[in-house]
Amino acid sequence: MSVDTAPRPLAPPPGDDEPSGRQPRLGMVGSGHGGHWWLYVILTVALIAVIAPFVWMILGSFKSEGELRQVPPTWWPEAASLDNYTQLFSRLNFGQFFFNSAFVAVIVTLGNLIFCSMLGYALAMLDFKGKRVIFVAVLGTLMIPGVVTFVPLFVLVANAGLVDTLPGLFLPFLVSPFGVFLMRQFILGLPKDLLDAGRIDGAGELAIFGRIILPLCGPALATLGILTFLGSWNNFLWPLVVAQSEDKYTLPVALALYATGQNSTNYGLLLAGATVTILPILAIFLIFQRKFIEGIATTGLK
């Protein structure tokens, strides 16, 4: 009985199933990225155009008033100074104005998160008479500019005795048509089997909404919260009209009134105040950035 001792060819490495004669074409390597170089150029230019004003604002807050008015303007501060920030916190009752802005923005945001999600749930999952009429009314309200309803809204607030009060600053904005539409579109994408399962277990509509729907609406709630907080924090015209005493001013109104004199505008104070004003918004966006992007990407998909 003879034993075969002839050497055998080595087996190919795992995953190497292609014949040795087939080689990848050099032209195909990296063609997916190299062919779209112009897209990266456009995006880079757009990014620079977006962030350049913010960078100039931050750098300008450390410049003197004379350097800010210099022609041609400078990019980097010639002599960086904190005088604008010192003047900001010494001239303004900054703590009171910051509290008013934060309080109004937080109340408006919480109101929109609660009421818009409730109405969005009703329009998306419940069947009742007048449902289509209400939804059409929401869509119609979205198309009406806020300036059109400004005067009637102020008359209502004045008749209710809420002028020059903090409730007068946040009560008219506890619900927004955009928030209702956003939450409805997101909730439409949730499976209705979860609601049926909750009803079989004996849960009421409020329990289903609080225990099943809201935990699944994290991305949409984060998106609505960031956009609502941003809009309320930067709101200028309504607080300017309603808040008629200094202790009710919000931060944008206080900055505009104190930085603008009879003859000239203190641009250094404005830039320092604007820099401080965007810090809470930037912090909130960085914290909820992932949820915000997810909410924008998935809202309306089924």
Side-chain angles (χ1 to χ4, degrees), residues 30-70:
S31 61
H33 298 284
H36 300 291
W37 61 269
W38 54 269
L39 181 60
Y40 292 97
V41 173
I42 295 176
L43 292 177
T44 303
V45 173
L47 177 63
I48 295 175
V50 170
I51 67 174
F54 293 97
V55 175
W56 191 88
M57 176 188 69
I58 296 174
L59 295 177
S61 64
F62 296 99
K63 300 177 183 179
S64 63
E65 190 67 20
E67 186 178 356
L68 287 172
R69 297 177 181 272
Q70 181 178 331

Side-chain angles (χ1 to χ4, degrees), residues 232-280:
S232 179
W233 182 267
N234 292 331
N235 193 7
F236 174 76
L237 185 58
W238 181 259
L240 178 65
V241 175
V242 175
Q244 300 180 358
S245 59
E246 183 175 334
D247 60 337
K248 299 300 186 301
Y249 287 166
T250 58
L251 199 53
V253 174
L255 287 174
L257 294 181
Y258 281 89
T260 304
Q262 295 181 353
N263 300 320
S264 62
T265 300
N266 190 337
Y267 293 106
L269 183 63
L270 277 179
L271 293 177
T275 302
V276 175
T277 302
I278 67 172
L279 292 180

Side-chain angles (χ1 to χ4, degrees), residues 178-298:
F178 171 77
V180 175
F181 179 77
L182 178 70
M183 295 306 301
R184 175 190 178 272
Q185 294 303 111
F186 187 89
I187 295 175
L188 277 176
L190 302 179
K192 292 187 177 182
D193 295 340
L194 297 176
L195 279 67
D196 297 334
R199 295 188 180 103
I200 292 175
D201 292 339
E205 294 298 333
L206 188 59
I208 293 174
F209 171 75
R211 298 179 182 178
I212 299 177
I213 298 298
L214 279 185
L216 298 175
C217 293
L221 291 175
T223 303
L224 178 61
I226 292 176
L227 295 179
T228 304
F229 187 90
L230 176 63
S232 179
W233 182 267
N234 292 331
N235 193 7
F236 174 76
L237 185 58
W238 181 259
L240 178 65
V241 175
V242 175
Q244 300 180 358
S245 59
E246 183 175 334
D247 60 337
K248 299 300 186 301
Y249 287 166
T250 58
L251 199 53
V253 174
L255 287 174
L257 294 181
Y258 281 89
T260 304
Q262 295 181 353
N263 300 320
S264 62
T265 300
N266 190 337
Y267 293 106
L269 183 63
L270 277 179
L271 293 177
T275 302
V276 175
T277 302
I278 67 172
L279 292 180
I281 301 172
L282 183 61
I284 291 176
F285 177 77
L286 292 177
I287 294 173
F288 298 101
Q289 178 182 7
R290 180 176 299 179
K291 290 291 185 181
F292 176 77
I293 297 175
E294 184 180 352
I296 292 293
T298 58

